[in-house]
Amino acid sequence: MSLWLYDPFRAASSHRQYNPLNELAQIERQLDHFFDAPSQQLRLRDHAGQLSHDENGLKYRIDARGFKPEELKVDIEGDHIVVRAEHKEEHDGESVHRSFIRSVAIPKDIQKEGLKCDLDEAGRLVITAPKAGLPDSQKRSIPIEFKKSENQESK
């Protein structure tokens, strides 16, 4: 019988380079699974928000499970979207109070007037906004004014 000593650096000295960021990426994927899971299991990132900003516009998702629509409030404050939620309940001498406030900056190329909020049955609040710019139906031509320079006018 032989005893092998555990060498934690043996894996790092192999032909593949050890990268601790790979482990963090794996943990993040596992946490994302809990956030996006449709079941009612315990979610590790309660009320976490996911922001995506691409060529279609802005999309901000928040897990607001456990809050009624009347307990949620979404405001625009300057250049920020602010989401507030507050839930209070009391029964049998026990009281519960949950609240959160989330704030995210609105990128410069997003239409503030086009913000829209949706809440589904699973308690996911989705805030969307289109990119700024004219829609195809509102395109217009911009006239070009031709001005003669002063040198040409005197000739």
Side-chain angles (χ1 to χ4, degrees):
M1 179 172 149
S2 65
L3 296 175
W4 285 67
L5 294 175
Y6 174 70
D7 183 6
F9 301 105
R10 183 181 302 153
S13 64
S14 68
H15 66 280
R16 281 194 293 161
Q17 186 70 17
Y18 174 73
N19 185 354
L21 296 179
N22 289 340
E23 290 182 23
L24 290 174
Q26 181 182 5
I27 292 170
E28 183 179 14
R29 283 191 300 273
Q30 291 172 345
L31 288 174
D32 285 341
H33 168 74
F34 285 109
F35 181 75
D36 292 331
S39 68
Q40 295 295 324
Q41 64 183 345
L42 174 66
R43 295 181 181 172
L44 298 178
R45 290 172 34 179
D46 199 22
H47 311 301
Q50 290 182 340
L51 177 67
S52 63
H53 178 219
D54 56 20
E55 65 276 353
N56 298 324
L58 175 97
K59 189 174 192 177
Y60 187 47
R61 298 182 342 174
I62 298 174
D63 181 5
R65 191 171 45 102
F67 293 93
K68 299 174 188 170
E70 58 270 11
E71 296 172 334
L72 294 165
K73 185 175 181 185
V74 179
D75 294 314
I76 297 176
E77 295 179 4
D79 289 336
H80 287 79
I81 300 170
V82 180
V83 181
R84 292 178 176 86
E86 185 171 13
H87 173 79
K88 293 180 182 179
E89 65 181 73
E90 190 172 328
H91 53 75
D92 298 333
E94 180 182 30
S95 64
V96 175
H97 182 215
R98 289 187 305 241
S99 66
F100 70 86
I101 298 175
R102 299 201 55 89
S103 176
V104 64
I106 302 171
K108 298 288 183 202
D109 63 342
I110 296 297
Q111 268 185 359
K112 291 181 189 178
E113 300 81 23
L115 276 167
K116 181 181 164 194
C117 299
D118 295 313
L119 182 66
D120 64 12
E121 295 93 20
R124 233 180 242 147
L125 179 68
V126 180
I127 302 168
T128 56
K131 281 214 174 217
L134 293 174
D136 291 338
S137 62
Q138 295 181 359
K139 284 187 178 180
R140 63 181 177 95
S141 295
I142 300 172
I144 300 171
E145 292 183 31
F146 181 72
K147 293 185 178 182
K148 292 183 181 180
S149 66
E150 291 178 21
N151 293 340
Q152 290 180 349
E153 288 178 6
S154 62
K155 290 183 181 180

